[in-house]
Coordinates of all heavy atoms in Angstrom, one line a residue:
M1 N 4.1 -15.1 -31.9 CA 4.9 -13.9 -31.7 C 6.2 -14.1 -32.6 O 6.9 -15.1 -32.6 CB 5.3 -13.8 -30.3 CG 6.1 -12.6 -29.9 SD 6.5 -12.4 -28.2 CE 4.9 -12.2 -27.5
S2 N 6.5 -13.0 -33.3 CA 7.6 -13.1 -34.2 C 8.9 -12.5 -33.7 O 9.9 -12.5 -34.3 CB 7.3 -12.3 -35.5 OG 7.1 -11.0 -35.2
R3 N 8.9 -12.1 -32.4 CA 10.1 -11.6 -31.8 C 11.1 -12.6 -31.5 O 10.8 -13.7 -31.1 CB 9.7 -10.8 -30.5 CG 8.9 -9.6 -30.7 CD 8.6 -8.8 -29.5 NE 8.2 -9.6 -28.3 CZ 9.1 -9.8 -27.3 NH1 10.3 -9.3 -27.3 NH2 8.7 -10.5 -26.2
T4 N 12.4 -12.3 -31.7 CA 13.4 -13.3 -31.4 C 14.1 -13.1 -30.1 O 14.9 -13.9 -29.6 CB 14.5 -13.2 -32.5 OG1 15.1 -11.9 -32.5 CG2 14.0 -13.6 -33.9
D5 N 13.8 -12.0 -29.4 CA 14.4 -11.6 -28.1 C 13.5 -12.0 -26.9 O 13.6 -11.3 -25.9 CB 14.8 -10.1 -28.1 CG 13.6 -9.2 -28.4 OD1 12.5 -9.8 -28.7 OD2 13.7 -8.0 -28.3
I6 N 12.6 -12.9 -27.1 CA 11.7 -13.3 -26.0 C 12.6 -13.7 -24.8 O 13.5 -14.5 -24.8 CB 10.8 -14.4 -26.4 CG1 9.9 -14.0 -27.5 CG2 10.0 -14.9 -25.2 CD1 9.1 -15.0 -28.1
G7 N 12.2 -13.1 -23.6 CA 12.9 -13.4 -22.4 C 14.2 -12.6 -22.1 O 14.8 -12.7 -21.1
N8 N 14.5 -11.7 -23.1 CA 15.7 -10.9 -22.9 C 15.5 -9.4 -22.7 O 16.4 -8.6 -22.7 CB 16.7 -11.1 -24.1 CG 17.2 -12.5 -24.1 OD1 17.6 -13.1 -23.1 ND2 17.2 -13.2 -25.3
I9 N 14.2 -9.0 -22.6 CA 13.8 -7.6 -22.4 C 13.7 -7.4 -20.9 O 12.9 -8.0 -20.2 CB 12.5 -7.3 -23.1 CG1 12.5 -7.7 -24.6 CG2 12.1 -5.9 -22.9 CD1 13.5 -6.8 -25.4
D10 N 14.5 -6.5 -20.4 CA 14.5 -6.2 -18.9 C 13.3 -5.3 -18.5 O 12.8 -5.4 -17.4 CB 15.8 -5.5 -18.5 CG 17.0 -6.4 -18.5 OD1 16.8 -7.6 -18.4 OD2 18.1 -5.9 -18.5
D11 N 12.9 -4.4 -19.5 CA 11.8 -3.5 -19.2 C 10.7 -3.7 -20.3 O 10.9 -3.3 -21.4 CB 12.2 -2.1 -19.2 CG 11.1 -1.1 -18.7 OD1 9.9 -1.5 -18.6 OD2 11.4 0.0 -18.4
L12 N 9.6 -4.4 -19.9 CA 8.6 -4.7 -20.9 C 7.8 -3.5 -21.3 O 7.1 -3.5 -22.4 CB 7.6 -5.7 -20.3 CG 8.2 -7.1 -19.8 CD1 7.2 -8.0 -19.3 CD2 9.0 -7.7 -20.9
A13 N 7.9 -2.4 -20.7 CA 7.3 -1.1 -21.1 C 7.9 -0.6 -22.4 O 7.4 0.2 -23.1 CB 7.4 -0.1 -20.0
T14 N 9.1 -1.1 -22.8 CA 9.8 -0.7 -24.0 C 9.3 -1.4 -25.2 O 9.6 -1.1 -26.3 CB 11.3 -0.9 -23.9 OG1 11.6 -2.3 -23.7 CG2 11.9 -0.1 -22.7
L15 N 8.4 -2.4 -25.0 CA 7.9 -3.2 -26.1 C 6.8 -2.3 -26.8 O 6.1 -1.6 -26.2 CB 7.2 -4.5 -25.7 CG 8.2 -5.5 -25.1 CD1 7.4 -6.7 -24.5 CD2 9.2 -6.0 -26.1
S16 N 6.7 -2.4 -28.1 CA 5.8 -1.7 -28.9 C 4.4 -2.2 -28.7 O 3.4 -1.5 -28.8 CB 6.1 -1.7 -30.4 OG 6.1 -3.0 -30.9
N17 N 4.2 -3.5 -28.3 CA 3.0 -4.1 -28.1 C 3.1 -4.9 -26.8 O 3.9 -5.9 -26.7 CB 2.6 -5.0 -29.3 CG 1.2 -5.7 -29.1 OD1 0.3 -5.1 -28.4 ND2 1.0 -6.8 -29.7
L18 N 2.3 -4.6 -25.8 CA 2.3 -5.4 -24.5 C 0.9 -5.7 -24.1 O 0.1 -4.8 -23.8 CB 3.0 -4.6 -23.5 CG 3.1 -5.3 -22.1 CD1 3.9 -6.6 -22.2 CD2 3.7 -4.3 -21.1
D19 N 0.6 -6.9 -24.2 CA -0.8 -7.4 -23.7 C -0.5 -8.5 -22.7 O 0.6 -8.9 -22.4 CB -1.7 -7.8 -24.8 CG -1.1 -8.9 -25.7 OD1 -0.2 -9.7 -25.2 OD2 -1.6 -9.1 -26.8
E20 N -1.6 -9.1 -22.2 CA -1.5 -10.1 -21.2 C -0.7 -11.3 -21.6 O 0.1 -11.9 -20.9 CB -2.9 -10.5 -20.7 CG -2.9 -11.6 -19.6 CD -4.3 -12.0 -19.1 OE1 -5.3 -11.4 -19.6 OE2 -4.3 -12.9 -18.3
A21 N -1.0 -11.8 -22.9 CA -0.3 -12.9 -23.4 C 1.2 -12.7 -23.5 O 2.0 -13.6 -23.2 CB -0.9 -13.3 -24.8
I22 N 1.6 -11.5 -24.0 CA 3.0 -11.2 -24.2 C 3.7 -11.1 -22.8 O 4.8 -11.6 -22.6 CB 3.2 -9.9 -25.0 CG1 2.8 -10.2 -26.4 CG2 4.7 -9.4 -24.9 CD1 2.7 -8.9 -27.2
L23 N 3.0 -10.5 -21.8 CA 3.5 -10.3 -20.5 C 3.8 -11.7 -19.9 O 4.9 -12.0 -19.3 CB 2.6 -9.5 -19.6 CG 2.9 -9.5 -18.1 CD1 4.1 -8.5 -17.9 CD2 1.7 -9.1 -17.3
L24 N 2.8 -12.6 -19.9 CA 3.0 -13.9 -19.4 C 4.0 -14.7 -20.1 O 4.8 -15.4 -19.4 CB 1.6 -14.7 -19.4 CG 0.5 -14.1 -18.5 CD1 -0.8 -14.8 -18.7 CD2 1.0 -14.1 -17.0
E25 N 4.1 -14.6 -21.4 CA 5.2 -15.3 -22.1 C 6.6 -14.9 -21.7 O 7.5 -15.6 -21.5 CB 5.0 -15.2 -23.6 CG 6.0 -15.9 -24.4 CD 5.7 -15.8 -25.9 OE1 5.1 -14.9 -26.4 OE2 6.3 -16.7 -26.6
E26 N 6.7 -13.5 -21.6 CA 8.0 -12.9 -21.2 C 8.4 -13.4 -19.8 O 9.5 -13.8 -19.5 CB 8.0 -11.4 -21.2 CG 8.0 -10.9 -22.6 CD 9.4 -11.0 -23.2 OE1 10.4 -11.1 -22.5 OE2 9.4 -10.9 -24.5
L27 N 7.4 -13.4 -18.8 CA 7.7 -13.7 -17.5 C 8.1 -15.2 -17.4 O 9.0 -15.6 -16.6 CB 6.5 -13.4 -16.6 CG 6.3 -11.9 -16.3 CD1 5.0 -11.8 -15.5 CD2 7.4 -11.2 -15.7
K28 N 7.4 -16.1 -18.1 CA 7.6 -17.5 -18.1 C 9.0 -17.8 -18.7 O 9.8 -18.6 -18.1 CB 6.6 -18.3 -18.9 CG 6.8 -19.7 -18.9 CD 5.7 -20.5 -19.7 CE 6.0 -22.0 -19.7 NZ 4.9 -22.7 -20.5
C29 N 9.4 -17.2 -19.8 CA 10.7 -17.4 -20.4 C 11.8 -16.9 -19.5 O 12.8 -17.6 -19.3 CB 10.7 -16.7 -21.7 SG 12.2 -17.1 -22.7
R30 N 11.6 -15.7 -18.9 CA 12.6 -15.2 -17.9 C 12.7 -16.1 -16.7 O 13.8 -16.3 -16.2 CB 12.3 -13.7 -17.6 CG 12.4 -12.7 -18.7 CD 12.1 -11.3 -18.3 NE 12.9 -10.8 -17.3 CZ 14.1 -10.3 -17.5 NH1 14.6 -10.3 -18.8 NH2 14.9 -9.8 -16.5
Y31 N 11.6 -16.6 -16.2 CA 11.6 -17.4 -15.1 C 12.4 -18.7 -15.4 O 13.2 -19.2 -14.5 CB 10.2 -17.8 -14.7 CG 10.1 -18.8 -13.6 CD1 10.1 -18.4 -12.2 CD2 9.9 -20.2 -13.8 CE1 10.0 -19.3 -11.2 CE2 9.8 -21.1 -12.8 CZ 9.8 -20.7 -11.5 OH 9.7 -21.6 -10.5
N32 N 12.3 -19.3 -16.5 CA 13.0 -20.5 -16.9 C 14.5 -20.2 -17.1 O 15.3 -21.2 -17.1 CB 12.4 -21.0 -18.3 CG 11.0 -21.6 -18.1 OD1 10.7 -22.1 -17.0 ND2 10.2 -21.7 -19.1
Q33 N 14.9 -18.9 -17.2 CA 16.3 -18.5 -17.3 C 16.8 -18.0 -15.9 O 17.9 -17.5 -15.8 CB 16.5 -17.5 -18.3 CG 16.1 -17.8 -19.7 CD 16.2 -16.6 -20.6 OE1 17.0 -15.7 -20.5 NE2 15.3 -16.6 -21.6
D34 N 16.0 -18.3 -14.9 CA 16.3 -17.7 -13.5 C 16.4 -16.3 -13.5 O 17.1 -15.7 -12.6 CB 17.6 -18.4 -13.0 CG 17.4 -19.8 -12.6 OD1 16.3 -20.3 -12.4 OD2 18.5 -20.6 -12.5
K35 N 15.7 -15.6 -14.3 CA 15.6 -14.1 -14.3 C 14.2 -13.8 -13.7 O 13.2 -13.6 -14.3 CB 15.6 -13.5 -15.7 CG 16.9 -13.7 -16.4 CD 16.9 -13.2 -17.8 CE 18.1 -13.4 -18.6 NZ 18.0 -12.9 -20.0
I36 N 14.2 -13.8 -12.3 CA 12.9 -13.7 -11.6 C 12.4 -12.2 -11.5 O 11.3 -12.1 -11.1 CB 13.0 -14.3 -10.2 CG1 14.0 -13.6 -9.3 CG2 13.3 -15.8 -10.4 CD1 13.8 -14.0 -7.9
Y37 N 13.2 -11.3 -11.8 CA 12.8 -9.9 -11.8 C 12.7 -9.3 -13.2 O 13.5 -9.5 -14.0 CB 13.8 -9.0 -11.0 CG 13.9 -9.4 -9.5 CD1 15.0 -9.9 -9.0 CD2 12.8 -9.1 -8.7 CE1 15.1 -10.2 -7.6 CE2 12.9 -9.4 -7.3 CZ 14.0 -9.9 -6.8 OH 14.1 -10.2 -5.5
T38 N 11.6 -8.5 -13.4 CA 11.3 -7.9 -14.6 C 10.7 -6.5 -14.4 O 9.8 -6.4 -13.5 CB 10.4 -8.7 -15.5 OG1 10.9 -10.0 -15.6 CG2 10.2 -8.1 -16.9
Y39 N 11.2 -5.5 -15.1 CA 10.5 -4.2 -15.0 C 9.4 -4.1 -16.0 O 9.5 -4.6 -17.1 CB 11.5 -3.1 -15.3 CG 12.6 -2.8 -14.2 CD1 13.9 -2.9 -14.6 CD2 12.3 -2.4 -12.9 CE1 14.9 -2.7 -13.6 CE2 13.2 -2.2 -12.0 CZ 14.6 -2.3 -12.3 OH 15.5 -2.1 -11.4
V40 N 8.4 -3.4 -15.6 CA 7.3 -2.9 -16.5 C 7.2 -1.4 -16.1 O 6.5 -1.0 -15.2 CB 6.0 -3.6 -16.3 CG1 4.9 -3.1 -17.3 CG2 6.2 -5.1 -16.4
G41 N 8.0 -0.6 -16.8 CA 8.1 0.8 -16.5 C 8.8 0.9 -15.1 O 9.9 0.4 -14.9
D42 N 8.1 1.6 -14.2 CA 8.7 1.8 -12.8 C 8.4 0.7 -11.9 O 8.7 0.7 -10.7 CB 8.2 3.1 -12.2 CG 8.8 4.3 -12.9 OD1 9.9 4.2 -13.4 OD2 8.2 5.4 -12.9
I43 N 7.6 -0.3 -12.4 CA 7.2 -1.4 -11.5 C 8.1 -2.6 -11.7 O 8.5 -2.9 -12.8 CB 5.7 -1.9 -11.9 CG1 4.8 -0.7 -11.7 CG2 5.3 -3.1 -11.1 CD1 3.4 -0.9 -12.3
L44 N 8.5 -3.2 -10.5 CA 9.4 -4.3 -10.6 C 8.5 -5.6 -10.3 O 7.9 -5.7 -9.2 CB 10.5 -4.3 -9.5 CG 11.4 -5.5 -9.4 CD1 12.3 -5.6 -10.7 CD2 12.3 -5.4 -8.2
V45 N 8.4 -6.5 -11.3 CA 7.6 -7.7 -11.1 C 8.6 -8.8 -10.6 O 9.7 -9.0 -11.2 CB 7.0 -8.1 -12.5 CG1 6.2 -9.4 -12.3 CG2 6.1 -7.0 -12.9
A46 N 8.2 -9.5 -9.6 CA 9.0 -10.6 -9.1 C 8.2 -11.9 -9.1 O 7.1 -11.9 -8.8 CB 9.5 -10.3 -7.6
V47 N 8.9 -12.9 -9.6 CA 8.3 -14.3 -9.6 C 9.1 -15.2 -8.7 O 10.3 -15.3 -8.8 CB 8.3 -14.9 -11.1 CG1 7.6 -16.2 -11.1 CG2 7.6 -13.9 -12.0
N48 N 8.4 -15.8 -7.7 CA 9.1 -16.6 -6.7 C 9.6 -17.9 -7.4 O 8.9 -18.7 -7.9 CB 8.1 -17.0 -5.6 CG 8.7 -17.7 -4.4 OD1 9.8 -18.2 -4.5 ND2 8.0 -17.7 -3.3
P49 N 11.0 -18.1 -7.2 CA 11.6 -19.3 -7.8 C 11.5 -20.5 -7.0 O 11.7 -21.6 -7.4 CB 13.1 -18.9 -8.0 CG 13.3 -17.9 -6.8 CD 12.0 -17.2 -6.7
F50 N 11.0 -20.4 -5.7 CA 10.8 -21.5 -4.8 C 12.1 -22.3 -4.5 O 12.1 -23.4 -4.2 CB 9.7 -22.4 -5.3 CG 8.4 -21.8 -5.3 CD1 7.8 -21.4 -6.5 CD2 7.7 -21.5 -4.1 CE1 6.6 -20.8 -6.6 CE2 6.4 -20.9 -4.2 CZ 5.9 -20.5 -5.4
R51 N 13.3 -21.6 -4.7 CA 14.6 -22.2 -4.4 C 15.6 -21.1 -4.4 O 15.3 -19.9 -4.9 CB 15.0 -23.2 -5.5 CG 15.1 -22.7 -6.9 CD 15.3 -23.8 -7.9 NE 15.2 -23.4 -9.2 CZ 16.2 -22.8 -9.9 NH1 17.4 -22.7 -9.4 NH2 16.0 -22.4 -11.2
D52 N 16.8 -21.3 -3.9 CA 17.8 -20.4 -3.8 C 18.5 -20.3 -5.2 O 19.0 -21.3 -5.6 CB 18.8 -20.7 -2.7 CG 19.9 -19.7 -2.6 OD1 19.9 -18.6 -3.2 OD2 20.8 -19.9 -1.7
I53 N 18.6 -19.1 -5.8 CA 19.3 -19.0 -7.1 C 20.5 -18.1 -7.0 O 21.1 -17.7 -8.0 CB 18.3 -18.5 -8.2 CG1 17.6 -17.2 -7.9 CG2 17.3 -19.6 -8.5 CD1 16.8 -16.6 -9.0
G54 N 20.9 -17.8 -5.7 CA 22.1 -17.2 -5.5 C 22.2 -15.7 -6.0 O 23.3 -15.3 -6.5
I55 N 21.2 -15.0 -5.8 CA 21.2 -13.6 -6.3 C 21.1 -12.5 -5.2 O 20.8 -11.4 -5.5 CB 20.1 -13.4 -7.3 CG1 18.7 -13.6 -6.7 CG2 20.3 -14.2 -8.6 CD1 17.6 -13.2 -7.6
Y56 N 21.3 -12.9 -4.0 CA 21.2 -12.0 -2.9 C 22.5 -11.8 -2.0 O 22.4 -11.3 -0.9 CB 20.1 -12.4 -1.9 CG 18.7 -12.5 -2.7 CD1 18.1 -13.7 -3.0 CD2 18.1 -11.3 -3.0 CE1 16.9 -13.7 -3.6 CE2 16.9 -11.3 -3.7 CZ 16.3 -12.5 -4.0 OH 15.1 -12.6 -4.7
G57 N 23.6 -12.2 -2.6 CA 24.9 -12.0 -1.8 C 25.4 -10.6 -1.8 O 24.9 -9.7 -2.5
K58 N 26.4 -10.4 -1.0 CA 27.1 -9.1 -0.9 C 27.6 -8.6 -2.3 O 27.5 -7.4 -2.6 CB 28.2 -9.2 0.1 CG 28.9 -7.9 0.4 CD 28.3 -7.1 1.4 CE 29.2 -5.9 1.8 NZ 28.5 -4.8 2.2
E59 N 28.2 -9.5 -3.0 CA 28.8 -9.1 -4.3 C 27.7 -8.7 -5.3 O 28.0 -7.7 -6.1 CB 29.6 -10.3 -4.9 CG 28.9 -11.5 -5.3 CD 28.5 -12.4 -4.1 OE1 29.0 -12.2 -3.0 OE2 27.7 -13.3 -4.3
V60 N 26.6 -9.3 -5.2 CA 25.5 -8.8 -6.1 C 25.0 -7.5 -5.7 O 24.7 -6.6 -6.5 CB 24.3 -9.9 -6.1 CG1 23.2 -9.4 -7.0 CG2 24.8 -11.2 -6.6
S61 N 24.8 -7.3 -4.4 CA 24.4 -6.0 -3.8 C 25.3 -4.9 -4.2 O 24.8 -3.8 -4.6 CB 24.3 -6.1 -2.3 OG 24.0 -4.9 -1.7
E62 N 26.6 -5.1 -4.2 CA 27.6 -4.1 -4.5 C 27.4 -3.6 -6.0 O 27.7 -2.4 -6.3 CB 29.0 -4.6 -4.3 CG 29.3 -4.8 -2.8 CD 29.3 -3.5 -2.0 OE1 29.7 -2.5 -2.5 OE2 28.9 -3.6 -0.8
K63 N 27.0 -4.5 -6.9 CA 26.9 -4.1 -8.3 C 25.8 -3.0 -8.5 O 25.8 -2.3 -9.5 CB 26.5 -5.3 -9.1 CG 27.5 -6.3 -9.4 CD 27.2 -7.5 -10.2 CE 25.9 -7.4 -11.0 NZ 25.6 -8.6 -11.8
Y64 N 24.8 -2.9 -7.6 CA 23.7 -2.0 -7.8 C 23.9 -0.7 -7.1 O 23.1 0.2 -7.2 CB 22.4 -2.7 -7.3 CG 22.0 -3.8 -8.3 CD1 22.5 -5.1 -8.2 CD2 21.1 -3.5 -9.3 CE1 22.2 -6.1 -9.1 CE2 20.7 -4.5 -10.2 CZ 21.3 -5.8 -10.1 OH 20.9 -6.7 -11.0
K65 N 24.9 -0.5 -6.2 CA 25.1 0.7 -5.5 C 25.5 1.9 -6.4 O 26.4 1.8 -7.2 CB 26.2 0.5 -4.4 CG 25.7 -0.3 -3.2 CD 26.7 -0.3 -2.2 CE 26.2 -1.0 -1.0 NZ 27.1 -1.1 0.1
S66 N 24.7 2.9 -6.3 CA 24.9 4.2 -7.0 C 24.9 4.0 -8.6 O 25.7 4.7 -9.2 CB 26.1 4.9 -6.6 OG 26.0 5.2 -5.2
Q67 N 24.2 3.1 -9.1 CA 24.2 2.8 -10.5 C 22.8 3.2 -11.1 O 21.8 3.3 -10.4 CB 24.4 1.3 -10.8 CG 25.7 0.7 -10.3 CD 26.8 1.3 -11.1 OE1 26.8 1.5 -12.3 NE2 27.9 1.7 -10.4
K68 N 22.8 3.5 -12.4 CA 21.5 3.8 -13.1 C 20.8 2.4 -13.2 O 21.3 1.4 -13.2 CB 21.8 4.3 -14.5 CG 22.3 5.7 -14.5 CD 22.4 6.2 -16.0 CE 22.8 7.6 -16.0 NZ 22.9 8.1 -17.3
R69 N 19.5 2.6 -13.3 CA 18.6 1.4 -13.3 C 19.0 0.5 -14.5 O 18.9 -0.7 -14.4 CB 17.1 1.8 -13.4 CG 16.2 0.6 -13.2 CD 14.8 1.1 -13.2 NE 14.3 1.0 -14.6 CZ 13.1 1.0 -15.0 NH1 12.1 1.1 -14.1 NH2 12.7 1.0 -16.2
T70 N 19.3 1.1 -15.6 CA 19.6 0.3 -16.8 C 21.0 -0.3 -16.8 O 21.4 -1.0 -17.8 CB 19.4 1.2 -18.1 OG1 20.3 2.4 -17.9 CG2 18.0 1.6 -18.2
A71 N 21.8 0.0 -15.8 CA 23.2 -0.5 -15.8 C 23.3 -2.0 -15.5 O 24.3 -2.6 -15.7 CB 24.0 0.3 -14.8
N72 N 22.3 -2.5 -14.8 CA 22.2 -3.9 -14.4 C 20.9 -4.5 -14.7 O 19.9 -3.8 -14.9 CB 22.5 -4.0 -12.9 CG 23.9 -3.6 -12.5 OD1 24.8 -4.2 -12.9 ND2 24.0 -2.5 -11.7
P73 N 20.8 -5.8 -14.6 CA 19.5 -6.5 -14.8 C 18.5 -6.1 -13.7 O 19.0 -5.7 -12.6 CB 19.8 -7.9 -14.8 CG 21.3 -8.1 -15.0 CD 21.9 -6.8 -14.5
P74 N 17.2 -6.2 -13.9 CA 16.3 -5.9 -12.9 C 16.5 -6.7 -11.6 O 16.8 -7.9 -11.6 CB 14.9 -6.3 -13.5 CG 15.1 -6.3 -14.9 CD 16.6 -6.7 -15.1
H75 N 16.4 -6.0 -10.4 CA 16.7 -6.6 -9.2 C 16.1 -5.7 -8.1 O 16.1 -4.5 -8.2 CB 18.2 -6.8 -9.0 CG 18.5 -7.9 -7.9 ND1 18.3 -7.6 -6.6 CD2 19.0 -9.1 -8.1 CE1 18.7 -8.7 -5.9 NE2 19.2 -9.6 -6.8
I76 N 15.7 -6.3 -7.0 CA 15.2 -5.6 -5.8 C 16.3 -4.7 -5.3 O 16.1 -3.6 -4.7 CB 14.7 -6.5 -4.7 CG1 13.9 -5.7 -3.6 CG2 15.7 -7.3 -4.1 CD1 12.7 -5.0 -4.2
F77 N 17.6 -5.0 -5.4 CA 18.7 -4.2 -5.0 C 18.7 -2.9 -5.7 O 19.1 -1.9 -5.2 CB 20.0 -4.9 -5.1 CG 20.3 -6.1 -4.1 CD1 21.1 -7.1 -4.4 CD2 19.6 -6.1 -2.9 CE1 21.3 -8.1 -3.5 CE2 19.8 -7.2 -2.0 CZ 20.6 -8.2 -2.3
G78 N 18.4 -2.9 -7.0 CA 18.4 -1.7 -7.8 C 17.3 -0.8 -7.4 O 17.4 0.4 -7.3
V79 N 16.1 -1.3 -7.1 CA 15.0 -0.5 -6.6 C 15.3 0.1 -5.2 O 15.1 1.3 -5.0 CB 13.7 -1.4 -6.5 CG1 12.6 -0.6 -5.9 CG2 13.3 -1.9 -7.9
S80 N 15.9 -0.7 -4.3 CA 16.2 -0.2 -3.0 C 17.3 0.8 -3.1 O 17.2 1.8 -2.3 CB 16.6 -1.4 -2.1 OG 17.7 -2.0 -2.5
D81 N 18.3 0.7 -3.9 CA 19.3 1.7 -4.0 C 18.7 3.0 -4.6 O 19.1 4.1 -4.1 CB 20.5 1.2 -4.9 CG 21.6 2.2 -4.8 OD1 22.2 2.4 -3.8 OD2 21.9 2.9 -5.9
A82 N 17.9 2.9 -5.6 CA 17.3 4.1 -6.1 C 16.5 4.8 -5.1 O 16.5 6.1 -5.0 CB 16.4 3.8 -7.3
A83 N 15.7 4.1 -4.2 CA 14.9 4.7 -3.2 C 15.8 5.3 -2.2 O 15.6 6.5 -1.7 CB 14.1 3.7 -2.5
Y84 N 16.9 4.7 -1.8 CA 17.9 5.2 -0.9 C 18.5 6.5 -1.4 O 18.6 7.5 -0.7 CB 19.0 4.2 -0.6 CG 20.1 4.7 0.3 CD1 19.9 4.9 1.7 CD2 21.3 5.1 -0.3 CE1 21.0 5.4 2.5 CE2 22.3 5.6 0.5 CZ 22.2 5.7 1.9 OH 23.2 6.2 2.6
Q85 N 19.0 6.5 -2.7 CA 19.6 7.7 -3.3 C 18.6 8.8 -3.3 O 19.0 10.0 -3.1 CB 20.1 7.4 -4.7 CG 21.2 6.4 -4.7 CD 22.4 6.8 -3.9 OE1 22.8 8.0 -3.8 NE2 23.1 5.8 -3.3
A86 N 17.3 8.6 -3.6 CA 16.3 9.6 -3.6 C 16.1 10.2 -2.2 O 15.9 11.4 -2.1 CB 15.0 9.1 -4.2
M87 N 16.2 9.3 -1.2 CA 16.0 9.7 0.1 C 17.1 10.6 0.6 O 16.8 11.7 1.2 CB 15.8 8.5 1.0 CG 15.6 8.9 2.5 SD 15.5 7.5 3.5 CE 17.1 6.7 3.4
V88 N 18.3 10.3 0.4 CA 19.5 11.0 0.9 C 19.7 12.3 0.1 O 20.3 13.2 0.6 CB 20.7 10.2 1.1 CG1 20.5 9.1 2.0 CG2 21.2 9.7 -0.3
T89 N 19.4 12.3 -1.2 CA 19.6 13.5 -2.0 C 18.4 14.5 -2.0 O 18.5 15.6 -2.3 CB 19.9 13.2 -3.4 OG1 18.8 12.5 -4.0 CG2 21.1 12.3 -3.5
G90 N 17.2 14.0 -1.6 CA 16.0 14.8 -1.6 C 15.4 14.9 -3.0 O 14.5 15.7 -3.1
S91 N 15.9 14.2 -4.0 CA 15.5 14.4 -5.3 C 14.0 14.1 -5.5 O 13.3 14.6 -6.4 CB 16.3 13.7 -6.3 OG 16.2 12.3 -6.1
S92 N 13.5 13.2 -4.7 CA 12.1 12.8 -4.8 C 11.1 13.8 -4.3 O 9.9 13.7 -4.5 CB 11.8 11.4 -4.2 OG 12.0 11.5 -2.8
I93 N 11.6 14.8 -3.5 CA 10.7 15.8 -2.9 C 11.1 17.2 -3.3 O 11.1 18.1 -2.6 CB 10.7 15.6 -1.4 CG1 12.1 15.6 -0.8 CG2 9.9 14.4 -1.0 CD1 12.1 15.6 0.7
G94 N 11.6 17.3 -4.6 CA 11.8 18.6 -5.1 C 13.1 19.3 -4.6 O 13.2 20.5 -4.6
G95 N 14.1 18.5 -4.1 CA 15.3 19.0 -3.6 C 15.3 19.5 -2.2 O 16.2 20.1 -1.7
K96 N 14.2 19.4 -1.5 CA 14.1 19.8 -0.1 C 14.9 18.9 0.8 O 15.2 17.7 0.4 CB 12.6 19.8 0.4 CG 11.7 20.7 -0.4 CD 10.3 20.6 0.1 CE 9.4 21.6 -0.7 NZ 8.0 21.4 -0.4
R97 N 15.3 19.4 1.9 CA 16.1 18.6 2.9 C 15.2 17.4 3.3 O 14.0 17.5 3.6 CB 16.5 19.4 4.1 CG 17.5 20.4 3.7 CD 17.9 21.2 4.9 NE 18.3 20.2 5.9 CZ 19.0 20.5 7.0 NH1 19.3 21.7 7.3 NH2 19.3 19.6 7.9
N98 N 15.8 16.2 3.4 CA 15.1 15.1 3.9 C 14.8 15.2 5.4 O 15.5 15.8 6.1 CB 15.8 13.8 3.5 CG 17.1 13.6 4.2 OD1 17.2 13.7 5.4 ND2 18.1 13.4 3.4
Q99 N 13.7 14.6 5.8 CA 13.3 14.6 7.2 C 13.5 13.2 7.8 O 12.5 12.7 8.5 CB 11.9 15.1 7.3 CG 11.6 16.5 6.8 CD 12.4 17.5 7.5 OE1 12.3 17.5 8.8 NE2 13.1 18.4 6.9
C100 N 14.6 12.6 7.7 CA 14.8 11.3 8.2 C 16.3 11.2 8.7 O 17.1 12.0 8.4 CB 14.5 10.3 7.1 SG 15.6 10.3 5.7
I101 N 16.5 10.1 9.4 CA 17.8 9.8 9.9 C 18.2 8.5 9.2 O 17.5 7.5 9.3 CB 17.8 9.6 11.4 CG1 17.4 11.0 12.1 CG2 19.2 9.2 11.9 CD1 17.2 10.8 13.6
V102 N 19.4 8.5 8.6 CA 19.9 7.3 7.9 C 20.9 6.6 8.9 O 21.8 7.2 9.3 CB 20.6 7.6 6.6 CG1 21.1 6.4 5.9 CG2 19.6 8.4 5.7
I103 N 20.6 5.3 9.2 CA 21.5 4.6 10.0 C 22.3 3.6 9.1 O 21.7 2.9 8.3 CB 20.6 3.7 11.1 CG1 19.8 4.7 11.9 CG2 21.6 2.9 11.9 CD1 18.9 4.0 12.8
R104 N 23.6 3.7 9.2 CA 24.4 2.8 8.4 C 25.1 1.8 9.3 O 25.5 1.9 10.3 CB 25.5 3.6 7.7 CG 24.9 4.6 6.7 CD 25.9 5.3 6.0 NE 25.3 6.3 5.1 CZ 25.8 6.7 4.0 NH1 27.0 6.3 3.7 NH2 25.2 7.6 3.3

C-alpha cells in the first residue's frame, strides 16, 4: 500500500479503495495507536483493547455532546449523542413529535 496516512483515517468509507486487506490493516494500525473505534460510513467498528485505555471518563463524554460526528475522533459517545439528538429533535422520523420520555 502506498498510502502514508495508514491508521489516521477516521472514516474508512472515505478511502477510494477499501477491501478486506485495507480494512484489516487500518484496524490493526489504529488498534496499535489505542484508536479502538473506526467509522465505515455510518457503522462504528470497535476493537476490544482488553485493558483500560482511559477513554470513558466524564471529560471525554462532554467533548461529544451536541457536536458533529466529524468534530471528534470516532467514539461510542459520538454515536450515542447523535442518537439522542435525533430522538429529542425528531429528525430521524421526519420532524414528527417523538413518542418517548427522556429521563435526565
